[in-house]
Amino acid sequence: MIPSDAHLPVVSPDVPDATEFRDPAAAVTRLQDLYKIAVEFLTDTFSKNVVGARPDTRFRAFYPEIRIRTSTFAQTDSRLSFGHVAGPGTYSTTVTRPDLFAGYLEQQIQLLIENHDEPVVIGVSDTPMPVHFAVSGEVAVPQEGALQFTLRDVFDVPDLATTNDDIVNGIDFHNEDGSKPLAPFTAQRIDYSLARLQHYTATSAEHFQNHVLFTNYQFYVEEFEAYGRKMLADPDSGYTSFVSTGNQVITDADAVLDAPAKMPQMPTYHLCREDGSGITLVNIGVGPSNAKTATDHIAVLRPHAWLMVGHCAGLRNSQRLGDFVLAHGYLREDHVLDDDLPVWMPIPALAEIQIALEEAVASVTKLEGYELKRIMRTGTVATIDNRNWELRDQDGPVQRLSQSRAVGLDMESATIAANGFRFRVPYGTLLCVSDKPLHGELKLPGMASDFYKTQVSRHLMIGIRAMERLREMPLERIHSRKLRSFEETAFL
């Protein structure tokens, strides 16, 4: 939405006319050119006008866009859940950071052209680029009131009215020009999340890998770094670097990583491969709010899968500390997604993820088939928003847990899985039983320390092995049709 600015003349950069492309690589190059023109224009004009009186001109640049027009239904492989639009019409999406998303954009554009035998049109959209996103990392944007003029009178600023999840939430969303959405996120929504990721994780979006592990304990971070260093020491591992908090990058297994002066809310670490198919570990801490925040923003990077590998309370007397719980269903009492994803909506288990996790457990523990039942149960995981639920009258909670047949309880897993379902990101959960509050085995300091020493390394390795198995699968197998609704965007 373009705000009213009739009181000031508007100056915008010169840009090439909208052009048809049948070569995906050339289309992405044009997107990069258009984006660069807009960013350089806003950075330059902002730098020149940030000090002094209000300019007598308004400066505006626009996001680039991808557009396609189809007049027929596509003849596509029915097994493919993406890469084609639902029916005849005009579809478009705004684009940001085409440098960061180059591989993703080229792949999605290629499928679109092949499946519809139509060119894509690359040009500028009518969506202004907020100056905050354009100059991020280059120039500091002063807070409101620090300038001699109101910033929004001269430059476009982020507008939450047009930064939302209407597309992924299944609302009947159309662009202002009447075209239908081509991708699950608009450029403004992506830029917003890229900025929040830097804030919460203290690492740049460029370092995030396509396979994301979430955990709720720092112990996993220490093991992940140790594993990362081991991989860097192995020239055949395929891993090229390890990135720590504060964007510290090492390629040598013996390199020193400095402890940050201040830890971010969600410390994040990346074991990288050149093609982005490595593994990212995010310590989201405790609670569904953190889980939602992390997944809300990581989703715009379109990861191939994310898994929760944390601790849970075992709810069955037959379970032992250190046993694993492979979630195949979720009892959602976290409440943070109630407005976006009704609790009556089932969150299905994804076969490819479940098989990868079970095979990883077998590989690491050396147990197979029926013997796996000695250490792992498959069942419902309950997620709640009250860490001290045990201190309340237990009649209500315990009855619901029993009725749901839940075998584990935590505060993050259902949120991560539900947001994976909502954002069309393949998801899964493998938890480790760290206490049994219903049976008098509380997680106390001495016991917990011994538990962590003996179980964390094995649990993390299972998560890594599962991701490595998923990495070997074709993308179209991982992105299940279970995650797609009636009329989906063509882009993943």
Side-chain angles (χ1 to χ4, degrees), residues 9 14 41 52 63 120 136 147 152 162 165 174 185 215 270 280 287 302 315 321 349 390 395-396 420 434 444 464:
D14 294 328
F41 172 80
Y63 285 110
V120 295
S136 176
L147 302 176
R152 66 182 65 243
T162 58
D165 285 330
H174 285 73
F185 299 104
T215 189
H270 314 274
T280 288
R302 309 315 293 146
L315 300 178
L321 301 185
E390 306 101 315
D395 290 346
S434 59
L444 300 174
I464 291 172

Side-chain angles (χ1 to χ4, degrees), residues 375-394:
I375 62 165
M376 185 180 75
R377 296 190 66 155
T378 301
T380 297
V381 167
T383 292
I384 59 171
D385 57 2
N386 177 11
R387 177 61 186 86
N388 299 314
W389 64 277
E390 306 101 315
L391 303 181
R392 300 182 62 185
D393 181 356
Q394 294 185 17

